[in-house]
């Protein structure tokens, strides 16, 4: 026969209660390589006007979208999927070290560990899949995409960072910087304007969030790729 003391029963009940009360830890956003990632432009936006005319030229979709800046036109964006967060990473060239751009390499024979500290900056920008730079005011104020307080209020955010690299023999590496970005896909309904109205399908936006930039180390073996394919 199995017996359990009153204390054990109470402790078990408290443990169970705490397990339900404690929220699960938030999942870390997945990393993406900012040098090679092309999520923003992988989707093809299109616009269909109320008269049936449809086109998927980015320039024409952008022209339709810019009608939303006209006070006589009303526009609304509807998310077609749940926005997702990623951390977008970039290698930062060591401009502070004269004559040594690119990674710090320890690829020659007979060397010990190399220890080097350097800093740099990286700019993270809004993106959309209709070409040219993002009209942040239009996207946030007219469409309501990225209107939440945690979104950047400017087109670009620049962060600075510093790292101490320990490069072992047979390795090379760089400072890398990342920023939390939110990605969304929306359809935009336009009332008024050209042909009386239109619907834009598949508008992709990527926005930096109001968070501190992340700093890390991009280290790999000599001959193996780093984040930046140029190196």
């Amino acid at each position: 026969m199995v017996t359990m003391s009153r204390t054990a029963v109470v402790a078990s009940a408290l443990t169970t209660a705490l397990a339900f009360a404690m929220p699960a830890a938030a999942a870390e956003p997945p990393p993406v390589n900012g040098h090679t990632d092309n999520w923003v432009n992988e989707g093809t936006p299109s616009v269909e006007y109320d008269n049936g005319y449809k086109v998927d030229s980015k320039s024409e979709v952008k022209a339709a979208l810019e009608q939303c800046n006209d006070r006589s036109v009303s526009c609304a964006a509807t998310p077609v999927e749940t926005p997702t967060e990623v951390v977008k990473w970039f290698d930062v060239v060591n401009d502070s070290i004269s004559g040594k751009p690119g990674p710090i390499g320890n690829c020659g024979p007979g060397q010990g560990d190399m220890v080097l500290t350097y800093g740099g900056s990286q700019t993270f920008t809004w993106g959309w899949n209709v070409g040219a730079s993002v009209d942040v005011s239009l996207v946030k104020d007219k469409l309501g995409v990225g209107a939440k307080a945690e979104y950047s209020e400017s087109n670009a955010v620049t962060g600075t960072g510093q790292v101490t690299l320990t490069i072992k023999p047979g390795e090379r590496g760089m400072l890398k910087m990342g920023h939390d970005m939110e990605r969304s896909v929306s359809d935009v309904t336009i009332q008024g304007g050209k042909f009386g109205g239109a619907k834009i399908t598949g508008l992709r936006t990527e926005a930096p969030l109001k968070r501190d930039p992340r700093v890390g180390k991009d280290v790999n073996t000599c001959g193996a790729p780093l984040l930046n394919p140029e190196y």
Side-chain angles (χ1 to χ4, degrees):
M1 177 171 47
V2 178
T3 60
M4 181 179 290
S5 68
R6 177 180 176 82
T7 301
V9 172
V10 172
S12 177
L14 286 172
T15 300
T16 302
L18 285 171
F20 282 103
M22 292 292 288
E28 184 76 3
V32 297
N33 186 340
H35 298 285
T36 59
D37 176 76
N38 195 36
W39 177 87
V40 168
N41 292 307
E42 286 173 351
T44 303
S46 63
V47 57
E48 183 172 1
Y49 289 91
D50 286 0
N51 68 351
Y53 175 62
K54 184 175 182 179
V55 65
D56 58 6
S57 159
K58 287 187 176 183
S59 61
E60 293 201 46
V61 175
K62 184 172 181 288
L65 190 62
E66 288 176 337
Q67 294 181 107
C68 300
N69 283 318
D70 190 325
R71 291 185 179 180
S72 66
V73 176
S74 63
C75 299
T78 303
V80 297
E81 57 186 54
T82 303
T84 59
E85 290 186 20
V86 299
V87 182
K88 201 164 188 177
W89 288 98
F90 292 88
D91 281 333
V92 179
V93 174
N94 53 328
D95 293 328
S96 60
I97 305 172
S98 178
K100 293 185 178 179
I104 308 301
N106 191 356
C107 301
Q111 299 187 77
D113 290 358
M114 296 176 61
V115 181
L116 185 67
T117 299
Y118 78 90
S121 63
Q122 178 64 41
T123 299
F124 304 86
T125 62
W126 280 70
W128 61 3
N129 62 341
V130 292
S133 61
V134 176
D135 184 339
V136 177
S137 177
L138 185 156
V139 172
K140 292 185 68 174
D141 300 339
K142 305 296 194 306
L143 304 183
V145 176
K148 297 182 292 185
E150 60 263 39
Y151 281 76
S152 167
E153 295 173 353
S154 60
N155 190 272
V157 174
T158 300
T160 59
Q162 181 173 289
V163 70
T164 298
L165 291 172
T166 299
I167 308 297
K168 297 183 178 297
E171 293 181 343
R172 62 196 187 114
M174 301 180 73
L175 160 69
K176 68 176 182 178
M177 292 190 64
H179 208 291
D180 291 28
M181 314 285 286
E182 186 165 281
R183 295 172 164 181
S184 62
V185 182
S186 306
D187 291 345
V188 179
T189 301
I190 302 172
Q191 294 182 322
K194 185 176 180 179
F195 302 136
K199 181 177 181 180
I200 293 173
T201 302
L203 176 67
R204 290 192 174 195
T205 54
E206 180 180 70
L209 297 170
K210 285 185 179 178
R211 298 175 188 169
D212 291 336
R214 299 173 183 249
V215 178
K217 306 172 185 180
D218 184 17
V219 177
N220 209 339
T221 56
C222 295
L226 298 176
L227 288 175
N228 189 337
E230 293 184 12
Y231 303 122

